[in-house]
Amino acid sequence: MRRTAINPWTYPEGMDQGILVEGHQRLLFVSGQCSVSATGESLHPGDMAAQTAAALDNVETVLRAAGMGLADIVRMNTHVTDVDTFFAEAGEMMAERLGAYDIRPPGVCAEVTRLGRPELLVELEAFAAN
């Protein structure tokens, strides 16, 4: 599979504006993953950084179950209850973790009123190809 970053202009947000994916055989759509345990219990109430790390762990678990990894992500949408807190406490960690695989997936970061449970602060939705 060949991935080509498409960046007609540069923004400071640290993501590619587009990813051209060619020669792939499989696509995986990962539903929104939050900071929950394998048994569905909410984890890390009130801690944006820990919830983001746990949500990304859950994305990675779904990817592994499909024979993929973080390096296969071609788009990631981030939904948070407080965008300023997300960027202050978790954005850099998430960028570093994805950057370790040399990816800067395009996507959306949106602030929402609440997620599926009131104690959840972040939900990550991913698209992967290989």
Side-chain angles (χ1 to χ4, degrees), residues 54-110:
L56 196 51
D57 288 344
N58 288 343
V59 167
E60 192 168 18
T61 297
V62 174
L63 290 166
R64 275 195 311 263
M68 296 178 161
L70 292 176
D72 295 308
I73 294 174
V74 295
R75 180 177 176 83
M76 180 173 285
N77 293 330
T78 305
H79 305 278
V80 296
T81 58
D82 185 325
V83 74
D84 294 327
T85 301
F86 172 75
F87 283 117
E89 298 178 6
E92 187 174 327
M93 174 276 300
M94 193 164 110
E96 286 176 4
R97 192 157 161 196
L98 297 174
Y101 296 93
D102 198 28
I103 61 168
R104 297 168 14 119
V108 172
C109 182

Side-chain angles (χ1 to χ4, degrees), residues 1 7-8 19 29 41-43 48 53 61-62 67 80 87 93:
M1 177 182 81
N7 288 301
I19 297 287
F29 299 86
E41 299 170 86
S42 296
L43 303 171
M48 180 70 79
T61 297
V62 174
V80 296
F87 283 117
M93 174 276 300

